[in-house]
C-alpha cells in the first residue's frame, strides 16, 4: 500500500518536474523563506492593523484648550501655529478611536477658597467636554462605559471619555467624587506635580508630606472603588504607587508614565513597580513626553537661563497665584527658546519593549499626554499616532498584541474596575 502510494507520488513528482521545466529556470526559487516584505508593504500592513484595532489614548489635557474662547474641536488646527495637539479631524486622520480628556487643574493653595476654585474650574472643563460631544454628535460621542468605545467605533465616531488629572478639585469633600462620577469621570489622577491633600507627588521640590497616600486619600480611593472610577497613580511618588496597590480593591492604572530602567526620571516606573503592576492586573500607559523617553541632551544654555530667572524669584510659598502662574509660563517659554531635539518613535517603542519584557504584554498601553507636553518626533499630534503601530509591526508585534497595547488592556482594567464597583454596591465584595 505504502509502496504503491510512493510510486504514485514519484510519478506525480516527475510529471510536475516535466511540466515546470517548460517555465523559466529563474522562477525555481523554492526557498523556504518567504519573500522579504518591502517597506511599503510593511506600512500598508501596519496601517490595516491600526485601522482594525481599537486605538485608545488614555491621556490628553485637551479640555485646557477647549475652554479657550473660540476654540473649535471640529476644526483642524495646525500644531505648529496653534500649539494644539488634538481636535476631532486630527483624531480621525490619525485613526485614533477613543481618548480620555483629562480636566487638569493645576495645584494651588490648599484652603477652602482654593478647593472651591479648583472644583469650579474642573466642572467648567468637564461641562465643556460634554457640550462639545453634544454639539458634534455626528462625529464624536460621550463615552462612560468600556463598551461605548466599540459601539462608537462601529458608528464611525470617536469616543470621548472624561478624567480628572489631580485630585485637588475634590477638596476635602468625598461627595464631590460622586458628583464627578455622575458627570462621566472614569479615572482620577490622585496628585500632580506638587503634593496635595490626597497624596505625595513624585516631583514636589519640598519632598514627601504624607509618606504616600494620606488618610483622606485612602478614603478617596475607597470611594473611587465603590463608584467604579479608575485610580491613576501617574505623577504620584513611589510610595503612592505602593499604597494605591495595597489600598485599592480594583486594579490601578498609570495613565501616562514610562519605564525608569530605560530613562531615569522620577515620573517613570522602576522594574519592581512594573512587576507589581502586572501582579495587580493593572496597566502602564506609555506617554510621549521627550524627557521621560530618552536622557535629556546636555543643555547648558537652558540651565543657565533657568537658573538666572529663578534667582530673581521669591520663594514659592510667598508668591501669589498670579506670580506662580507667571513663573511657570516664563519657564515654559525658556524651555521652548532653548529646545533640544525631541525623542522619537524608536525611543517610545523601546519603552514598550521593556515594559512588555518586565510586566508582560497585558500590562502596557498608550497615553500620549497631548496638550499636556506630549508630542515627539513622529508622534507630534493626534494625526500621527499610526507611526507607533508601524514601529510595533516593524519589531514583530502581532495584531493580537497591538490590539492589547492600543486599548485592549486599558478596557480590561476599566471593565474589572466596574465589576468590582458593582460587587461593592451589591454587598458581594470579598
Ligand atoms: Zn500629567
Amino acid at each position: 500500500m505504502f509502496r504503491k502510494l510512493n510510486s504514485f507520488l514519484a510519478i506525480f513528482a516527475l510529471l510536475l518536474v516535466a511540466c515546470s521545466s517548460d517555465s523559466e529556470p529563474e522562477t525555481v526559487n523554492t526557498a523556504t523563506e518567504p519573500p522579504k516584505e518591502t517597506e511599503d508593504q510593511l506600512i500598508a500592513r501596519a496601517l490595516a492593523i491600526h485601522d482594525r484595532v481599537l486605538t485608545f489614548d488614555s491621556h490628553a489635557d485637551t479640555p485646557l484648550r477647549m475652554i479657550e474662547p473660540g476654540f473649535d474641536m471640529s476644526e483642524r488646527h495646525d500644531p505648529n501655529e496653534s500649539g494644539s495637539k488634538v481636535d476631532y479631524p486630527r483624531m480621525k486622520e490619525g485613526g485614533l478611536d477613543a481618548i480620555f480628556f483629562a480636566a487638569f487643574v493645576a495645584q494651588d493653595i490648599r484652603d477652602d477658597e482654593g478647593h472651591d476654585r479648583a472644583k469650579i474650574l474642573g466642572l467648567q472643563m468637564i461641562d465643556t467636554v460634554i457640550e462639545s460631544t453634544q454639539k458634534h454628535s455626528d462625529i464624536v460621542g460621550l463615552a462612560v462605559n468600556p463598551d461605548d468605545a466599540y459601539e462608537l467605533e462601529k458608528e464611525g465616531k470617536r469616543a470621548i471619555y472624561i478624567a480628572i488629572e489631580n485630585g485637588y478639585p475634590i477638596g476635602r469633600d468625598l461627595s464631590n467624587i460622586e458628583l464627578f462620577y455622575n458627570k462621566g469621570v472614569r479615572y482620577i489622577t490622585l496628585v500632580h506635580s506638587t503634593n496635595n491633600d490626597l497624596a505625595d507627588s513624585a516631583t514636589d521640590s519640598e519632598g514627601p508630606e504624607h509618606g504616600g497616600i494620606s488618610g483622606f486619600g485612602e478614603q478617596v480611593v475607597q470611594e473611587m472603588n465603590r463608584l467604579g472610577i479608575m485610580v491613576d497613580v501617574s505623577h504620584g511618588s513611589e510610595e503612592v504607587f505602593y499604597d494605591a496597590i495595597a489600598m485599592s480593591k480594583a486594579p490601578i492604572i498609570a495613565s501616562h508614565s514610562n519605564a525608569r530602567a530605560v530613562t531615569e526620571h522620577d515620573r517613570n516606573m522602576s522594574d519592581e513597580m512594573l512587576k507589581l503592576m502586572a501582579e495587580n492586573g493593572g496597566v502602564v500607559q506609555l506617554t510621549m513626553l521627550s524627557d521621560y523617553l530618552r536622557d535629556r541632551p546636555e543643555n547648558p544654555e537652558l540651565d543657565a537661563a533657568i537658573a538666572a530667572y529663578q534667582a530673581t524669584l521669591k520663594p514659592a510659598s510667598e508668591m501669589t497665584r498670579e506670580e506662580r502662574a507667571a513663573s511657570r509660563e516664563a519657564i515654559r517659554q525658556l524651555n521652548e527658546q532653548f529646545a533640544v531635539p525631541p525623542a522619537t518613535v524608536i525611543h517610545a517603542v523601546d519603552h514598550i519593549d521593556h515594559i512588555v519584557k518586565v510586566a508582560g504584554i497585558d500590562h502596557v498601553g498608550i497615553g500620549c499626554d497631548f496638550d499636556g507636553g506630549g508630542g515627539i518626533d513622529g508622534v507630534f499630534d493626534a494625526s500621527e499616532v499610526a507611526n507607533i503601530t508601524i514601529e510595533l509591526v516593524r519589531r514583530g508585534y502581532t495584531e493580537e498584541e497591538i490590539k492589547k497595547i492600543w486599548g485592549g488592556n486599558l478596557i480590561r482594567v476599566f471593565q474589572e474596575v466596574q465589576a468590582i464597583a458593582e460587587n461593592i454596591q451589591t454587598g458581594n465584595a470579598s
Side-chain angles (χ1 to χ4, degrees), residues 59 61 165 192 235 256 267 369:
H59 194 83
D61 288 320
E165 180 172 27
H192 193 245
H235 284 288
H256 56 305
R267 276 281 284 105
D369 202 7

Side-chain angles (χ1 to χ4, degrees), residues 222-336:
Q222 284 166 357
E223 179 65 355
M224 287 166 73
N225 282 166
R226 185 185 74 82
L227 291 164
I229 299 178
M230 291 184 276
V231 175
D232 177 21
V233 294
S234 283
H235 284 288
S237 68
E238 263 192 57
E239 290 70 27
V240 166
F241 168 81
Y242 291 111
D243 280 354
I245 295 258
M247 290 171 185
S248 176
K249 294 186 186 76
I252 64 166
I253 65 166
S255 70
H256 56 305
S257 293
N258 299 347
R260 203 180 292 170
V262 186
T263 307
E264 176 65 40
H265 196 290
D266 288 340
R267 276 281 284 105
N268 288 347
M269 299 173 76
S270 68
D271 284 0
E272 193 190 331
M273 292 160 86
L274 293 175
K275 281 180 199 152
L276 198 53
M277 193 59 131
E279 270 176 49
N280 169 265
V283 65
V284 179
Q285 302 281 110
L286 194 81
T287 196
M288 301 299 141
L289 274 144
S290 286
D291 285 355
Y292 306 175
L293 285 171
R294 51 107 178 91
D295 291 330
R296 197 171 218 285
E298 294 278 311
N299 194 349
E301 290 88 0
L302 174 66
D303 296 344
I306 288 181
Y309 172 69
Q310 279 174 334
T312 67
L313 297 174
K314 48 186 167 183
S317 51
E318 291 171 25
M319 281 190 216
T320 65
R321 206 158 62 91
E322 288 74 20
E323 285 170 333
R324 268 200 302 275
S327 72
R328 272 198 302 270
E329 174 57 21
I331 287 176
R332 193 195 63 75
Q333 281 180 12
L334 286 174
N335 272 296
E336 209 172 81

